[in-house]
Amino acid sequence: MKQKRIRCFLFILFILAALALACSCSLDTQEDGPTADLVAPAVDSVDPYDGEDSVSVVPSITIEFSEEVERVGAEQAFSLSDGASNVDGSISWSGNAMVF
């Protein structure tokens, strides 16, 4: 039962990360001035991954993006739930990785 909850939790986390990416847009600066980056960032990795066994009861969750994202928007789009209520925690960044 506990593993099923963790898998559900990780699946929801992956979906939320994808939504965060879909809501962000960055600008590339070229000699002519800024141009819109029309390629949305992608989630490069999630740790722990969906279905992983032997996950710590209090793991950190890391979502690494393929490119820089608008951090405030990504943080606002992110939420974590145990199925009944939101899980409290803080977010930090390491390069393009958001850590909860």
Side-chain angles (χ1 to χ4, degrees):
M1 182 68 172
K2 193 172 195 175
Q3 287 181 348
K4 185 176 181 181
R5 287 178 126 180
I6 291 173
R7 287 182 182 150
C8 180
F9 161 78
L10 292 173
F11 176 74
I12 291 170
L13 175 65
F14 179 77
I15 297 299
L16 292 173
L19 288 173
L21 289 174
C23 295
S24 67
C25 181
S26 63
L27 293 177
D28 288 332
T29 303
Q30 298 180 353
E31 290 180 24
D32 301 11
T35 59
D37 179 359
L38 301 178
V39 178
V43 174
D44 277 347
S45 65
V46 177
D47 182 35
Y49 62 86
D50 187 21
E52 185 172 350
D53 292 332
S54 303
V55 176
S56 170
V57 176
V58 187
S60 65
I61 297 168
T62 303
I63 303 168
E64 187 166 349
F65 299 102
S66 61
E67 63 182 78
E68 188 174 339
V69 296
E70 197 278 304
R71 292 181 176 191
V72 173
E75 290 175 16
Q76 290 174 345
F78 178 82
S79 67
L80 184 60
S81 171
D82 64 4
S85 60
N86 285 340
V87 176
D88 290 329
S90 61
I91 294 175
S92 63
W93 289 85
S94 177
N96 290 340
M98 183 172 72
V99 182
F100 177 81

